[in-house]
């Protein structure tokens, strides 16, 4: 048996790994290897596999005995390449120990820099660099990071909110600066930094009861374990849940030679995107800082400089760009940008460091982007022949399309007001909401149904869940490439960072705006314009982003690659029109009962009530007769709006008791119309009361008891259809019977339908009117007996709301009481009413499709539950050979894209 290989080396223009080994080496490790292979200047190092991480967890959080020997072997190769030695007294090599999962989780796991500094190596390192300030600065950073990541977090020590060791050491440093009257870190002298490092070490013993290890080997081993541990850190777990990343993937660990951006004014560090991640514009976009270490940029502590002149913005236009300050290195970086885009054929997010004028690449990954940017980049790259059509279709996340149709600030309204504060436009679009000051509050308020804006001092990866819950995010510090900006952008959230004039106090939950007397308090409503970086107090009018020709062009490519149909759930002719504009190819669900709610429902509702409370068939027939013309009118207008496309009309579904009038006034009015007493109304209403109406007298059962109700609806549908045909139109009505559990229900109903069909034919002197007769599949029994159901039904449509409710036994209307507990306790990965539970409900669907088509091979099958517009559910429907999905009008483009992507990914 060959030995399991746990460590892969890279550097010196070669590597043992490559880009497509992300599962084993993590995204960072695989791309470090790839960049080495591309001949880019990558500091040498090695990657410990994700398998070694899962092994670590399987072995009760201990390293496999073979791992460290393999690590030290790989270290030898790195030492040879870099011509330095780890832990050497004369010529010490320092390394970083970096996390890196398969999918990037920006800032969610831990990294330790400057490993290898200890009393053995420091004297030689001082001599070699001849830069004591740099050495002591690096040393105190190491101590701080190591204490935080390895000694506190990885050990699972919880020192309480705001009492973490990092915070305490930070306070110590601030205190020192205050005493000396310093403003900036750079004012602290070398000797003082040395002194601070000693103070740090004392503080660590005092707080954590253990000394900071003064041994290079011990430092590395501790860090490797800590990075493994950070896979299960609180923020990483939260982020994984939101992004649906499996818990068992594990993280790789990258050990890499340190290069230093903090060695003086010819050194620097930066982060860049090969194209603008907010707009998609094909311009090299980034931020950098002179004399700093990498984490300074991403942590959002200093406002960074712009990379080049063409991408300067309001906030940083007075700062030097790299193009101005280091033109030669900038050009080199531009060349690397081109090499990376050609090789990865996508926008890359890169980290680089310049050590005394020499450029090094530390990371590259596919960059997160807004929906707008994703669309623009896909279309640009298609034009540039960098990618083909299929690739372009796959480049836009269906969830992000939503954001393209998202609101922006109405420019008219915006021109009339002045922003109270401005920041960097990190995530475009607009957001209005009530201000909260902690991530926790954001979640709590969100669950109460409030729209919130999360206002924070700085961008902190610990806040992910609050960021997720917020409509928009506003921070006082941080740059465009800060972690929070990345995360927000990935989610298409409106986000403004670095609004420096905000003085945030999260204890009193207020934010004072400098040089004004404005104070923003918890609960205040504010508006963010994330496209411009403007913040307004109060609520500004928002409007839909205007028709975007690029979007239309993209969607036409999408449709070229799509095979499954996309319909919409629309209950009014107006909705039908909107959906048609969004590209719906028919209506998969028209709910007749919706004409009894809302605008213009007075008269039909009154007639419906009359019908419901009728004492006998004659009364009921009369009421139905009056109702008929309203139903027919609505059906006709809908068929007309969808001319040439199918419209599925569902027979009246809800339990009748829902429509019984409750107010005295309405009861009296109805009593008068029926010529009876108000008390009789109440009595008849009570008679309809059910203890479990969801499973009561509803759906097909209504028509079984009162065939005249079915009669009226079928007649309305067929007559509407005939009238349209006479007007030269092409109606395609489909009649759908809800809540069935047995084919006999379909057969009994069909008799009524056939009878009405014959009568309407006679009236219009035709021999036949085309329509389809089918059923909604929403009771588990109907899925079990689908072979029989298909004998009568010409089509199925999965009503996955009810099917989910009845399969789980979770009442849709009461789920609010317990669903969050199931999600919080990780008992359910997602809300099954939003995305199909493929494991359970999905089995029923798969079986139903097979049984149904065994009886009737050309059986049309769709889905009309809420999940029909959810990308994962659309993919599931595609894999199960559904004919179409049907969803709400605004989700039609999302479903189209998801369907096209499924066809590209899984098509024959
Ligand atoms: P994250 O995934 O959270 O970005 P990284 O592993 O990329 O974490 O490291 C955090 C910061 O430290 C980054 O800015 C990175 O560029 C910097 N860094 C990591 N390793 C090195 C190294 N070997 N030399 C210099 N800087 C480094
Ligand atoms: Mg990084
Ligand atoms: Mg239903």
């Amino acid at each position: 048996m060959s030995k399991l290989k746990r460590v892969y080396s890279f550097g010196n223009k070669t590597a043992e790994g490559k880009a497509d080994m992300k599962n084993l080496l993590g995204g960072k490790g695989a791309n470090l290897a790839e960049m080495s292979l591309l001949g880019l200047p990558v500091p040498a190092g090695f990657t410990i596999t994700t398998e070694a991480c899962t092994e670590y967890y399987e072995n009760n959080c201990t390293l496999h005995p073979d791992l460290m020997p393999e690590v030290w072997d790989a270290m030898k190769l790195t030492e040879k390449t870099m011509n330095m030695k780890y832990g050497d007294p004369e010529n010490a090599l320092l390394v970083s120990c970096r996390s890196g999962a398969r999918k990037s989780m920006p800032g969610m796991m831990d990294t330790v820099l400057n490993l290898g500094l200890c009393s053995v190596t420091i004297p030689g390192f001082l001599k070699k660099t001849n830069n004591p300030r740099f050495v002591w600065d690096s040393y105190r950073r190491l101590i701080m990071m190591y204490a935080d990541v390895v000694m506190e977090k990885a050990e699972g020590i919880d020192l309480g909110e705001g009492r973490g060791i990092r915070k305490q050491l930070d306070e110590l440093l601030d205190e020192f600066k205050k005493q000396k009257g310093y403003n900036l870190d750079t004012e602290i002298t070398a000797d003082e930094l040395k002194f601070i490092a000693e103070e740090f070490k004392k503080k660590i013993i005092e707080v954590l009861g253990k000394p900071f290890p003064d041994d290079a080997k011990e430092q590395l081993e501790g860090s490797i374990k800590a990075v493994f541990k950070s896979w299960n850190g609180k923020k990483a777990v939260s982020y994984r849940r939101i992004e649906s990343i499996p818990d068992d993937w594990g993280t790789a660990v990258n050990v890499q030679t340190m290069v230093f951006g903090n060695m003086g004014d010819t050194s620097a560090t930066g982060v860049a995107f090969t194209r603008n991640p907010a707009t998609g514009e094909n311009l090299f976009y980034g931020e950098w800082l002179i004399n700093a270490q990498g984490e300074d940029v991403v942590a959002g502590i200093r406002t960074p400089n712009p990379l080049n002149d063409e991408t300067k913005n309001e906030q940083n236009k007075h700062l030097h760009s790299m193009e101005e300050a280091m033109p030669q290195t900038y050009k080199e970086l531009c060349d690397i940008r081109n090499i990376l885009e050609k090789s990865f054929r996508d926008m890359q997010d890169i980290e680089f460091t310049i050590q005394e004028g020499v450029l090094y690449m530390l990371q590259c990954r596919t960059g997160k982007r807004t929906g707008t940017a994703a669309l623009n980049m896909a279309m640009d790259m298609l034009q540039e022949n960098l990618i083909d059509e299929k690739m372009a279709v796959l480049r836009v996340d269906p969830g992000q399309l939503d954001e393209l149709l998202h609101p922006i600030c109405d420019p008219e309204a915006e021109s009339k007001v002045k922003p109270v504060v401005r920041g960097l436009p990190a995530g475009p679009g607009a957001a209005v909401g009530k201000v909260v000051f902690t991530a926790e509050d954001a979640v709590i308020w969100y669950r109460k149904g409030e729209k919130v804006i999360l206002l924070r001092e700085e961008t902190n990866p610990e806040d992910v869940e609050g960021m997720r819950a917020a409509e928009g995010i506003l921070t006082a510090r941080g740059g465009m490439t800060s972690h929070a900006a990345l995360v927000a952008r990935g989610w298409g959230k409106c986000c403004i960072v670095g609004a420096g004039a905000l003085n945030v106090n999260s204890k009193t939950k207020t934010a004072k705006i400098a040089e004004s007397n404005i104070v923003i308090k918890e609960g205040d409503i504010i508006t963010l314009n994330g496209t411009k970086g403007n913040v307004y107090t109060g609520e500004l009018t928002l409007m839909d982003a205007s028709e975007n020709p690029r979007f239309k062009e993209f969607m036409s490519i999408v449709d070229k690659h799509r095979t499954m149909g996309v319909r919409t759930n629309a209950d009014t002719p107006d909705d039908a029109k909107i959906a048609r504009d969004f590209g719906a190819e028919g209506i998969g669900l028209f709910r007749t009962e919706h004409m009894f709610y809302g605008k213009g429902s007075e008269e039909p509702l009154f007639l419906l009530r009359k019908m419901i409370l009728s004492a006998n068939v004659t009364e009921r027939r009369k009421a139905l007769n009056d109702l008929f013309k309203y139903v027919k009118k609505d059906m006709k207008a809908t068929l007309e709006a969808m001319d040439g496309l199918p419209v599925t009309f569902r027979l009246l579904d809800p339990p009748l008791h829902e429509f019984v009038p409750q107010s005295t006034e309405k009861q009296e009015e109805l009593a008068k119309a029926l010529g009876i007493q108000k008390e009789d109304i109440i009595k008849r209403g009570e008679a309809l009361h059910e203890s479990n109406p969801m499973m009561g007298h509803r759906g097909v059962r209504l028509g079984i008891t009162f065939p005249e109700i079915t009669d009226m609806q079928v007649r309305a549908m067929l007559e509407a259809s005939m009238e349209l045909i006479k007007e030269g139109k092409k109606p395609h009505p489909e009649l759908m019977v809800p809540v069935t559990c047995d084919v006999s229900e379909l057969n009994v109903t069909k008799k009524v339908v056939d009878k009405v069909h014959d009568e309407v034919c006679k009236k219009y002197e035709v021999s036949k009117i085309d329509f389809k007769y089918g059923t909604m599949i929403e009771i588990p029994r109907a899925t079990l007996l689908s072979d029989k159901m298909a004998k009568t039904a010409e089509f199925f449509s999965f009503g996955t709301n009810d099917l989910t409710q009845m399969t789980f036994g979770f009442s849709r209307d009461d789920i609010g009481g317990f669903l969050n507990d199931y999600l919080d306790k990780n008992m359910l990965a997602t809300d099954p009413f939003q995305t199909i539970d493929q494991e359970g409900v999905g089995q029923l669907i798969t079986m139903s499709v097979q049984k149904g088509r065994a009886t009737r091979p050309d059986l049309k099958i769709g889905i009309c539950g809420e999940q029909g517009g959810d990308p994962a559910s659309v993919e599931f429907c595609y894999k199960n050979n559904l004919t179409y999905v049907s969803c709400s009008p605004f989700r039609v483009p999302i479903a189209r894209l998801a369907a096209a992507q499924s066809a590209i990914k899984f098509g024959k």
Side-chain angles (χ1 to χ4, degrees), residues 28 98 351 363 365:
K28 200 179 285 168
R98 321 171 64 186
E351 287 176 7
Q363 187 173 337
R365 63 184 166 203

Side-chain angles (χ1 to χ4, degrees), residues 129-191:
T129 58
N130 196 19
N131 188 344
R133 192 181 186 288
F134 154 72
V135 174
W136 294 116
D137 186 44
S138 305
Y139 188 48
R140 69 107 192 142
R141 284 173 192 261
L142 165 66
I143 298 171
M144 191 176 218
M145 263 184 273
Y146 196 92
D148 174 42
V149 172
V150 185
M151 301 177 69
E152 180 186 320
K153 289 212 188 85
E155 292 297 326
I157 295 171
D158 186 0
L159 297 171
E161 172 71 28
R163 294 317 299 151
I165 187 72
R166 192 179 200 121
K167 183 91 201 216
Q168 295 202 38
L169 298 181
D170 255 333
E171 283 168 6
L172 203 148
L173 185 66
D174 283 344
E175 189 54 37
F176 184 86
K177 273 161 56 185
K178 226 200 243 155
Q179 269 177 21
K180 296 276 170 180
Y182 296 156
N183 278 322
L184 299 170
D185 285 3
T186 43
E187 291 170 68
I188 314 173
T189 66
D191 280 342

Side-chain angles (χ1 to χ4, degrees), residues 804 829-838 866-867 870-874:
T804 300
T830 44
D831 174 353
F833 291 95
Q834 276 175 26
T835 186
I836 289 179
D837 155 49
Q838 298 187 18
E866 279 303 305
Q867 298 95 331
D870 160 67
S873 306
V874 171

Side-chain angles (χ1 to χ4, degrees), residues 74-94:
M75 185 67 95
K76 283 201 192 104
L77 188 63
T78 304
E79 288 170 341
K80 198 165 151 232
T81 308
M82 300 310 296
N83 203 15
M84 289 182 272
K85 261 183 109 135
Y86 189 70
D88 191 79
E90 257 89 67
N91 184 21
L93 171 79
L94 303 193

Side-chain angles (χ1 to χ4, degrees), residues 469-538:
E471 287 285 302
I473 298 153
L474 172 61
T475 73
R477 296 210 256 171
M480 290 285 283
T481 51
S482 62
H483 280 138
L486 287 197
V487 170
R489 212 148 39 229
W491 290 337
K493 287 245 169 193
C494 174
C495 176
I496 298 175
V497 299
L502 281 176
N503 241 313
V504 184
N505 185 333
S506 55
K507 287 211 185 83
T508 58
K509 302 196 171 173
T510 55
K512 193 174 168 337
I513 298 173
E515 282 161 49
S516 82
N517 42 23
I518 302 173
V519 179
I520 299 174
K521 294 186 289 295
E522 184 178 56
D524 285 357
I525 292 182
I526 62 170
T527 302
L528 307 184
N529 178 339
T531 314
K532 290 190 185 161
N534 291 349
V535 182
Y536 305 93
T537 46

Side-chain angles (χ1 to χ4, degrees), residues 650 653 698 739 776 778 802 812:
R650 181 176 71 182
D653 182 46
R698 60 176 287 215
V739 205
M776 203 143 160
E778 51 189 337
D802 270 309
R812 260 198 277 170

